[in-house]
Amino acid sequence: MIKETFIQEKRPHESATKHVSGYALYTDDISEPEGTLYGAIGWSKKSHAIIRKINLDKVIKSEGVVAVVTSEDITGRNDVGPVYDGDPIFPKNKVEYFGQPLFAVAAKSTELARKAVLKAKITYTKLKPIIEIKDALKKKSFVLKGQVIKRGDPILIIRKAANRLKGEFTTGSQEHFPLEGQVSFVIPQEDDDFTVYSSTQHPSETQQIIAKMLNQKSNSINVIVRRIGGGFGGKETQSFIFAAICTLLAKKTKRPVKLRMDRDDDIIITGKRHDFYSEYEVGFDELGVIEGLNIKLSSRCGISPDLSGAINSRALLHIDNAYYLPNLLVENFLCKTNTSSSTAFRGFGGNQGMMVIENIIDNISRSLNKDPAEIRRRNFYQKEKKNITHYGMKIEDNVIYEIFDSLMKSSNYKSRQLGVKKFNLKNKYLKKGIAITPVKFGISFTTWHLNQAGALVHIYCNDGSVHVNTGAIEMGQGTYTKIAQLVSKELGLPFDKIKVSATRTDKVPNTSASAASSTTDLNGAAAINAVRIIKQNLGVFVKKKYKIKNSEAIYENGLVKFKGKSFRFNSLIKEAYLNRVSLSSSGFYTTPKIHFNRKTFLGRPFLYFCYGAAVSEVIIDTMTGENKILQVDIIHDAGKAINPAIELGQIEGGFVQGAGWLTMEEVNWKSNGEITTHSPSTYKIPAVSDMPEKFNVEIYKYGKNKENVVNKSKTTGEPPLMNAMSVFFAIKDAIASTGNYDKAPIINAPATPEKILMSIKNLERNL
Ligand code: MTE
Ligand code: MOS
């Protein structure tokens, strides 16, 4: 038997040098054919209104304008909703959010196009908007019917429990803020075909949506994506409207059109992370073990379902995080509001669900005057019993004790906690806090059919170089690098002989979005399967020609070793070509084992879980609410990491993005629905100076995926973001030190300076 070996090779991202030198081509860098036009979008200044008249006379006459498109120009489907309708490209009668696109222009320059759209005269009859979750709940305004999940008899158990707590909690929205904003570039071809370059995580759905909009066949639309400058979920569906409008303009003008959004317009038009509001009641014993839990979980979905169904179900699937919840009732409400349609964002609802339970456990600990670390550990899923989730899945890969316990040690949690207490006794205005939080995050798309991927691999006969194409989108997370590493190992070739080429719908069709952290798991496996078919062709050929027994071979160091016969890879390839052997193949992969019944909410929605834990220590200024992360220690499970350098980047980056979500990034809407935070001047994302002063990140040494996943790796796409929960609870710990310890401070996320100050004031008042 061939011994199992793993790649664990730190190497730079395949485009690292190009990223930093500016030679990496993003959509806006593609050379423009002569005659290219530039687009801009005119959007609604009302959040809820009947459209009386759209007068574009002055827009059309504006300098440099070549064409204008409105809903009248759409002959096919006027909607970009991925699962349900509800996201019109241009609404006909009614606007539903401030920023909703109404028309677009193509002009001779981007500047002229942007100037022109401002000249529209639109008359509306205003309607009353619903902006806040609580208002939507009151008015029963929902985008979809929410699920109710139940295990055991929580109501009775809570009533009988020795201890009870009740409360409310919210986590905030978040703008994706990728370095590269939304952009599309469309070039008309013969026969009304279109080549579409789009900064998207989902080329196949872009293709479908454009085809439906134009009433054309899918085979007339080719979507190409070499890389995107970050997506974070914000280009899983939110890119569609730009690609659609850009194609509409290209069709009308019969010229290439580029539509690159200005940052403000980008933020105003597109959907963001769902903010969540929860009400809970929990019953627990003297030791702080949760016995019964009842939660009402509501999210702001914006105007349409978009991906809200799946996001809310992921929140429900992660309401347990790493904890065993024997009796549970959760009612979920998907609130329809007059705001842009909330969408995918790293964590996809999972993190929002996890924050609910973490906050409850924190409050339980404080009410019992116990260290939250102890209560957390005591509620963990166990290995032999108490290991079935509330959705009926048995947890078979639990390593949370190992990770949590070794982090407690390596971070010196106990002694640093004492240090924090001492510091707080000595200091009146500055207070420190420390917290440890666990992460358990399920991997697979919860929509079963999305767990498939395809690949196309060619080996060229003259030099044995390898061309790989898959459905994976390179968004900075390093999937092209990791796929090339997997292929290079599979063929025993040096990394530089493998080229992963731009993702395009005419090479690999029917792809899923690069999302759910599953990109390399799925597409890497499909690429390996394609390579294995070519290897099989080679094996059959060698076996027959050289009359050897076994067609299997070992591919390593540029050699192909059959039992009794060895070849240099290049010579074998040449020889195979001359003997008319196919050196190209597609490959396909589907995730095994998973199944999930949405109605009963039971099954095995995930192939495996990712685990991690983090300790954060913070300091707050009780006079200003300012806060700073002093030290972060993380141990995170990446299985057998394909590329530990890239995984480390994902773990650090995810953490910082999570810390931004929980401490400083605050999306605000006025009561009339106008978003006020649409540029970096009013919306603060973490800067270099917000990085923890000490940042110790370790990939879990003994990590190995139990399931059959490429290289026995575990993805690091989304799960590390949730390590940032420790920052929020460290801040809460610091606030708690200003009052009686057993009185839990009330603070919602994001813990901005204002909220920290208010929380301290409330504690003072209750003293
Ligand atoms: N990392 C970078 N640099 N840029 C991104 O846009 N997106 C995140 C995460 N890490 C993102 C990122 C999100 S939301 C997901 S789902 C995963 O990467 C997608 O990639 P993966 O499936 O290869 O992990
Ligand atoms: Mo990630 S939110 O699944 O694109």
Side-chain angles (χ1 to χ4, degrees), residues 7-13 346 476-479 481-483 485-486 517 520-521 608 610 634 636-655 697-700 710-721 723:
I7 323 166
Q8 289 205 276
E9 186 204 6
K10 289 185 187 167
R11 63 160 49 249
H13 190 285
R346 207 173 194 171
Q477 90 280 39
T479 189
T481 313
K482 294 201 281 180
I483 290 173
Q485 284 179 280
L486 290 169
S517 305
T520 307
D521 289 9
Y608 64 94
C610 290
I634 294 175
H636 196 88
D637 182 12
K640 295 264 175 220
I642 298 169
N643 186 331
I646 282 180
E647 317 302 349
L648 210 63
Q650 285 292 294
I651 298 169
E652 292 176 353
F655 174 87
V697 181
E698 191 186 312
I699 294 176
Y700 177 50
V710 286
N711 204 55
K712 296 277 179 192
S713 65
K714 288 189 177 185
T715 177
T716 53
E718 295 165 287
L721 177 135
N723 288 320

Side-chain angles (χ1 to χ4, degrees), residues 331-633:
E331 287 174 273
N332 182 209
F333 299 92
L334 293 87
C335 296
K336 175 168 175 162
T337 53
N338 294 106
T339 50
S340 61
S341 193
S342 303
T343 196
F345 197 136
R346 207 173 194 171
F348 205 79
N351 47 328
Q352 289 101 312
M354 284 152 72
M355 277 299 284
V356 174
I357 189 71
E358 289 302 335
N359 189 55
I360 290 170
I361 295 215
D362 193 82
N363 289 346
I364 291 175
S365 317
R366 293 183 194 282
S367 79
L368 295 173
N369 210 345
K370 288 269 183 340
D371 180 0
E374 194 183 315
I375 306 300
R376 288 198 156 92
R377 194 178 188 285
R378 196 166 287 151
N379 277 286
F380 281 166
Y381 280 109
Q382 297 178 13
K383 297 209 177 181
E384 304 301 330
K385 49 182 182 147
K386 296 192 174 177
N387 59 1
I388 310 278
T389 63
H390 54 293
Y391 45 91
M393 175 171 171
K394 186 170 172 191
I395 302 177
E396 292 168 332
D397 58 6
N398 185 349
V399 288
I400 196 59
Y401 290 95
E402 287 85 341
I403 289 179
F404 196 82
D405 292 349
S406 54
L407 183 66
M408 285 286 282
K409 277 204 200 104
S410 66
S411 68
N412 289 320
Y413 175 85
K414 285 272 175 208
S415 67
R416 283 172 54 206
Q417 192 183 40
L418 278 178
V420 164
K421 282 192 178 140
K422 271 191 207 147
F423 178 92
N424 290 344
L425 283 175
K426 271 199 225 135
N427 290 276
K428 189 160 177 211
Y429 301 115
L430 295 178
K431 297 286 179 189
K432 288 188 181 178
I434 189 166
I436 178 166
T437 52
V439 173
K440 171 185 129 283
F441 190 80
I443 301 301
S444 293
F445 285 98
T446 55
T447 303
W448 180 77
H449 73 266
L450 299 177
N451 296 287
Q452 58 171 306
L456 182 64
V457 173
H458 308 316
I459 303 177
Y460 293 104
C461 66
N462 73 319
D463 61 357
S465 65
V466 184
H467 179 106
V468 181
N469 198 273
T470 74
I473 293 296
E474 175 54 53
M475 57 187 103
Q477 90 280 39
T479 189
Y480 278 24
T481 313
K482 294 201 281 180
I483 290 173
Q485 284 179 280
L486 290 169
V487 170
S488 106
K489 167 155 190 279
E490 191 63 30
L491 289 171
L493 292 176
F495 182 82
D496 64 8
K497 271 199 120 170
I498 320 293
K499 177 157 217 120
V500 180
S501 63
T503 308
R504 40 194 295 165
T505 51
D506 62 354
K507 276 196 179 172
V508 177
N510 312 321
T511 55
S512 297
S514 282
S517 305
S518 304
T519 312
T520 307
D521 289 9
L522 297 173
N523 292 279
I528 288 176
N529 286 343
V531 169
R532 289 191 179 155
I533 293 172
I534 302 174
K535 280 163 80 166
Q536 211 174 349
N537 298 345
L538 291 169
V540 169
F541 158 66
V542 171
K543 188 176 168 195
K544 193 166 166 211
K545 177 154 184 204
Y546 293 94
K547 307 209 165 30
I548 54 175
K549 275 210 187 98
N550 203 331
S551 64
E552 257 153 50
I554 294 172
Y555 287 69
E556 62 186 13
N557 302 325
L559 297 175
V560 187
K561 300 178 218 166
F562 290 87
K563 250 213 164 95
K565 178 86 191 152
S566 270
F567 297 85
R568 301 189 132 278
F569 183 82
N570 287 8
S571 337
L572 175 60
I573 293 300
K574 213 163 270 169
E575 195 176 332
Y577 166 73
L578 293 172
N579 285 275
R580 306 190 298 177
V581 175
S582 166
L583 297 170
S584 168
S585 177
S586 64
F588 189 65
Y589 174 81
T590 58
T591 310
K593 292 188 179 177
I594 49 172
H595 56 92
F596 187 58
N597 183 333
R598 276 192 188 282
K599 286 222 171 79
T600 58
F601 215 75
L602 291 172
R604 177 182 181 152
F606 306 121
L607 182 59
Y608 64 94
F609 293 101
C610 290
Y611 299 87
V615 172
S616 289
E617 185 178 340
V618 303
I619 187 162
I620 63 170
D621 182 332
T622 58
M623 302 302 283
T624 62
E626 276 169 284
N627 56 87
K628 196 166 172 53
I629 306 175
L630 298 175
Q631 181 172 337
V632 173
D633 294 77

